[in-house]
Amino acid sequence: MASVSLTPIHTLPVELLLEIFRIVIPQWRRMKALVKLSSVCRRWRVTAEGAPTLWSGIDGDDGLPLVRKALELSKDVLLDITYRDLSGPSSIGHRIEFMEEIEGSTFRWRSLSVLGYNLNLAMVTLGGVSAPQLTALHLEQRFDRLEGQDHPIRWKVYLFGGPNALPQLKHFDVSGLPIAIAPLQLSGLKSLSMRDIRLASDEEIYQVLLNSPELELLELEWSDDSQWPTVAVEPPDSPFIELPNLTGFTLMRTHEEFGHRLLLSIVAPNLRHFEIEVNRGTHPVLNIISPNVRHWRRVLTSLTTGIQEIEMVGDAVECRIEVGGLTIWTHNHEEEPMMSNIEPVVDLVRSLGSHLHNAPINFTLSDEDHPVFPELLSGFSPGLGIAKLSLISTEEDGDMSDLVHLLSLPNASFSNGWIFPQLEILRTNLVWAEGNDDLLAVIKARSAAAAKQGEGSPKRLREIRLTMYDEDAPCPLNTSFKRALMEAADGAEVYWYGEKWGAEEGSSEQRS
């Protein structure tokens, strides 16, 4: 019988065996995976435990015994530390012990990721240590907890002892924590992500950007309850911020003054994605973008080059407009029609290039987050160019079903006649086992009006896609409704859960 030591796996050079270990070890719970590999045989244990870089990933989820083992076996190599505290107040003991274990190795930290519902202890620990080798920092305060459990930090947090404490830092990612930015004197960053910003001032953020010319990713999202300092709209001493490597830029929930100042200052010729949301002021997005169109035109045009249609997703409160690498969020004002904020933004988008002048709009209207009422559709211009419409409801008997009848006849409340006259593709889940008479009336009316080909007539529907409210559990559809729908479609392709219905009632063919 052949010796076990002569089997192929045991004849591999140590270097190749280590490379295999690196490939198969997962990023999450890697220490537990290493322990399993080490238990296969003596050679594997000696090989694994003799490679300090394999133990450089410290994950609090692996438990304190393995954390201690990894800290010992990693010797002097740089560490990547991850800690998640998602178990509530009962984990206070584990928090204390974990922080005590890693506190002695701060001079070896290369990256640190801490997220949880209560980061008080972690912030206290980080306030008094130095991490001169740290290149990536991720701190995330979670808020999706039940009342009566851990509370978020409300006071200003000072980290790593102040000025020049993080000389090697390249990636700064903080969410939901009121971090004191100025004392850190951040500079030379490659990515800056600050979400749910609460206490950081505009000037602090501006200085970080000015001192990080190699920035590649910029994400700024303010908290709804942020306290804004008063700043001038165009400070006379604001220099341009040259960011030639910036490819991703997200600016969410900012106020008009800072947003305008930032866009006026930033020069980012190689931007590939730009997302903006401004929810303070009247037409706030337009107030920021419009004055800067000349400065940003080449970049914005580049983001939308080659795009054939405009994506629009909305509800009663907000709407997201996507055109290639450009994403703009708009918000409704109380007692104003939905289109009062959407249409000016669409006009701005269309002005970015001739290829967008007549680009069709794919509009998805949903009541997932907010109820949608028929009155919200008043003011839609027939020239808006909505060619695809999706009506998606999350409530079986919700108000959204009342929207369907608005598509069936010219309505006196719409000064331009038919709503969505360029509509060619209709998708909805507002269908029940017995059918939907309002939907059937829409298809009949629009088919008849399109056949007349008169002035003001809507386009003929060419595609109808249907599912039920519960899309995962369809039940047999009423045969009479199905037959009537196929007749009313007048040649339009009808799909039921992705399968194309045939010319005869009851037949179907899978779409190719």
Side-chain angles (χ1 to χ4, degrees):
M1 183 176 180
S3 172
V4 173
S5 63
L6 296 180
T7 56
I9 190 66
H10 289 289
T11 62
L12 290 176
V14 171
E15 296 79 10
L16 185 55
L17 187 60
L18 283 174
E19 189 60 30
I20 293 174
F21 285 175
R22 291 189 181 95
I23 293 173
V24 301
I25 295 172
Q27 290 301 311
W28 184 62
R29 308 292 287 270
R30 58 183 293 114
M31 291 185 291
K32 283 195 173 182
L34 276 170
V35 170
K36 287 183 179 180
L37 285 175
S38 301
S39 65
V40 171
C41 65
R42 181 177 181 276
R43 182 172 185 253
W44 282 27
R45 183 178 68 256
V46 171
T47 300
E49 293 184 353
T53 56
L54 286 182
W55 301 88
S56 62
I58 309 294
D59 193 330
D61 287 346
D62 284 330
L64 289 172
L66 286 183
V67 168
R68 298 184 183 105
K69 182 181 182 72
L71 287 171
E72 177 184 353
L73 295 177
S74 60
K75 299 186 182 302
D76 295 325
V77 302
L78 297 181
L79 302 175
D80 299 306
I81 297 176
T82 301
Y83 182 66
R84 306 171 190 84
D85 186 3
L86 305 175
S87 55
S90 61
S91 64
I92 183 65
H94 183 267
R95 295 175 196 164
I96 295 173
E97 290 182 310
F98 180 81
M99 289 301 162
E100 289 177 346
E101 291 295 336
I102 66 171
E103 189 173 356
S105 62
T106 57
F107 64 95
R108 291 200 286 141
W109 290 1
R110 176 173 54 193
S111 69
L112 175 66
S113 177
V114 181
L115 66 154
Y117 298 112
N118 188 331
L119 300 186
N120 296 25
L121 180 60
M123 295 304 101
V124 170
T125 301
L126 297 181
V129 300
S130 175
Q133 302 295 327
L134 194 68
T135 61
L137 177 64
H138 171 219
L139 304 174
E140 182 177 347
Q141 170 77 65
R142 295 285 183 89
F143 295 100
D144 51 337
R145 288 294 296 271
L146 297 176
E147 292 185 7
Q149 299 190 19
D150 294 332
H151 300 288
I153 298 173
R154 298 291 183 183
W155 60 88
K156 207 159 194 176
V157 176
Y158 294 84
L159 300 177
F160 301 106
N164 302 316
L166 303 172
Q168 304 297 325
L169 194 68
K170 298 298 180 184
H171 306 282
F172 185 78
D173 184 348
V174 174
S175 177
L177 289 165
I179 303 296
I181 302 299
L184 292 173
Q185 296 183 1
L186 299 174
S187 63
L189 298 180
K190 288 186 176 294
S191 68
L192 174 63
S193 297
M194 297 179 65
R195 295 174 299 281
D196 203 12
I197 301 172
R198 295 176 179 272
L199 296 177
S201 71
D202 298 351
E203 193 60 38
E204 288 176 322
I205 295 172
Y206 190 86
Q207 287 302 317
V208 174
L209 298 180
L210 199 60
N211 295 325
S212 300
E214 297 183 0
L215 201 67
E216 299 173 1
L217 174 67
L218 174 59
E219 298 177 338
L220 300 174
E221 179 179 345
W222 276 260
S223 166
D224 288 332
D225 57 358
S226 296
Q227 297 179 5
W228 299 97
T230 302
V231 296
V233 175
E234 296 183 31
D237 57 344
S238 294
F240 283 119
I241 303 175
E242 302 277 353
L243 300 176
N245 299 327
L246 189 68
T247 57
F249 182 14
T250 300
L251 185 62
M252 304 290 282
R253 300 179 186 173
T254 184
H255 62 101
E256 292 182 26
E257 290 83 358
F258 181 65
H260 176 55
R261 177 188 181 187
L262 207 55
L263 262 63
L264 187 65
S265 303
I266 286 180
V267 178
N270 297 307
L271 201 63
R272 296 177 185 173
H273 176 74
F274 177 42
E275 183 172 6
I276 183 170
E277 174 190 14
V278 188
N279 59 357
R280 293 167 173 83
T282 303
H283 297 309
V285 171
L286 293 180
N287 292 344
I288 289 180
I289 296 181
S290 297
N292 294 288
V293 164
R294 178 177 297 181
H295 174 55
W296 277 71
R297 178 170 292 280
R298 190 182 70 81
V299 173
L300 296 179
T301 300
S302 175
L303 292 175
T304 60
T305 297
I307 301 304
Q308 301 300 315
E309 67 179 21
I310 300 171
E311 295 284 340
M312 199 162 75
V313 180
D315 58 25
V317 175
E318 61 187 13
C319 183
R320 183 180 77 248
I321 300 171
E322 295 183 7
V323 196
L326 175 63
T327 302
I328 300 176
W329 291 80
T330 69
H331 288 263
N332 262 6
H333 300 302
E334 293 182 5
E335 300 179 356
E336 287 188 2
M338 188 176 190
M339 286 310 298
S340 64
N341 284 309
I342 296 176
E343 194 159 1
V345 175
V346 172
D347 291 340
L348 174 66
V349 167
R350 292 197 186 281
S351 72
L352 297 177
S354 58
H355 64 293
L356 295 172
H357 290 174
N358 298 308
I361 293 178
N362 182 2
F363 184 26
T364 299
L365 190 58
S366 170
D367 62 2
E368 181 175 0
D369 296 318
H370 305 96
V372 176
F373 303 104
E375 293 78 8
L376 292 169
L377 296 184
S378 62
F380 272 87
S381 166
L384 191 62
I386 293 179
K388 301 178 183 179
L389 175 65
S390 299
L391 298 177
I392 307 300
S393 180
T394 58
E395 299 183 20
E396 186 171 4
D397 297 316
D399 298 298
M400 198 160 183
S401 58
D402 295 335
L403 296 176
V404 175
H405 78 275
L406 295 177
L407 304 174
S408 62
L409 290 171
N411 194 309
S413 63
F414 301 109
S415 58
N416 295 295
W418 289 86
I419 186 172
F420 307 144
Q422 298 178 342
L423 183 63
E424 295 183 282
I425 299 175
L426 176 62
R427 181 173 74 97
T428 184
N429 67 345
L430 295 171
V431 180
W432 299 270
E434 65 275 14
N436 185 329
D437 290 339
D438 287 338
L439 179 63
L440 184 60
V442 167
I443 297 171
K444 283 181 178 180
R446 295 185 81 96
S447 296
K452 296 178 181 179
Q453 298 182 345
E455 183 178 355
S457 296
K459 283 191 174 183
R460 185 178 71 87
L461 291 174
R462 58 182 177 84
E463 192 173 298
I464 303 166
R465 293 185 166 271
L466 306 175
T467 60
M468 287 185 173
Y469 161 73
D470 187 354
E471 296 191 7
D472 296 328
C475 61
L477 191 61
N478 181 280
T479 303
S480 299
F481 171 76
K482 187 175 181 180
R483 186 183 300 112
L485 184 63
M486 287 300 297
E487 181 180 346
D490 192 28
E493 295 180 344
V494 180
Y495 293 89
W496 178 248
Y497 283 87
E499 291 192 0
K500 182 179 175 182
W501 284 350
E504 297 180 359
E505 184 277 324
S507 66
S508 67
E509 57 180 333
Q510 182 69 38
R511 186 180 184 185
S512 59

